[in-house]
Amino acid sequence: MNKEEFISELKKIGITPTNKQLEQLELYYNLLISWNEKINLTRITEHDEVYLKHFYDSLTIIKVIDLEKINTLLDFGTGAGFPGLVLKIMYPNLQVTLIDSLNKRIVFLNEVIKILNLKDIETLHTRIEDYRGKHFDVITTRAVANLSKLLDYTKNIIDKNTKFIPLKGHIEEELVNIKNKNLLKKYNLQITKQEKFSLPKENSTRTILVIDKSEK
């Protein structure tokens, strides 16, 4: 996905990036590649592949939620900043918290945040299952664990006003697994939306879930 294709596909899902945002993404890419030579951040390094599989893929969350109407967002297991850092660039209104268990990645993220001069974004070196903090309007994660583990990790931080939105690929087996374990009932949760689509160019399957607290 070259730059022109990236812009075109974003417009199809309702995003029109500014020149500043495009410049920030390009700088982010350059930092990612530079740091990737020192620490393992991503196996995907080719320019067009990063724009498709990291940048565009991160932004598909807006298929299920209007981020312009959201205040606070937590991205755990963020790695090199996907999706949380990309979302912050494209939606500067968001107050973003990035959590990762590997401090080397946190150091990288802090460098990107500093160089891109991003405000209202913080990083935390911790594990999501150990986190006890403030309320978030949206909690998201991408390529971290199976759905059973994700529900367990987040059981103490999803409240009645939180939407948990994991970005997944094929998810049928994981849905069967949580049903067999009765995990939604156990944690008092419900899946309120499920968006399945194909990533442009390569047509790989993506699934986005919206999970809320159940009404008792």
Side-chain angles (χ1 to χ4, degrees), residues 101-153:
S101 61
L102 191 62
N103 193 57
K104 289 188 291 186
R105 295 188 191 125
I106 295 295
V107 173
F108 164 73
L109 294 170
N110 286 337
E111 183 71 5
V112 177
I113 290 167
K114 178 182 176 182
I115 291 177
L116 269 57
N117 195 30
L118 300 176
K119 308 298 182 185
D120 295 322
I121 180 169
E122 65 174 348
T123 61
L124 296 176
H125 175 218
T126 188
R127 297 164 61 89
I128 186 60
E129 53 266 47
D130 298 327
Y131 178 74
R132 300 292 182 273
K134 62 185 181 181
H135 158 81
F136 291 96
D137 298 326
V138 170
I139 297 172
T140 189
T141 189
R142 174 179 175 266
V144 169
N146 64 52
L147 194 53
S148 294
K149 290 182 179 179
L150 294 180
L151 294 181
D152 182 56
Y153 292 163

Side-chain angles (χ1 to χ4, degrees), residues 3 19-21 27 33 38 59 62 75 86 92 124 134 151 165 184 203:
K3 197 79 68 73
N19 288 335
K20 179 182 178 181
Q21 288 167 332
L27 184 50
I33 299 309
K38 300 177 287 184
L59 290 163
I62 65 99
D75 172 23
V86 180
L124 296 176
K134 62 185 181 181
L151 294 181
I165 307 179
L184 291 175
N203 294 318

Side-chain angles (χ1 to χ4, degrees), residues 19-29 88-90 116-118:
N19 288 335
K20 179 182 178 181
Q21 288 167 332
L22 292 171
E23 289 169 2
Q24 287 178 318
L25 286 174
E26 188 66 15
L27 184 50
Y28 183 9
Y29 169 76
K88 176 61 187 178
I89 290 170
M90 297 306 297
L116 269 57
N117 195 30
L118 300 176

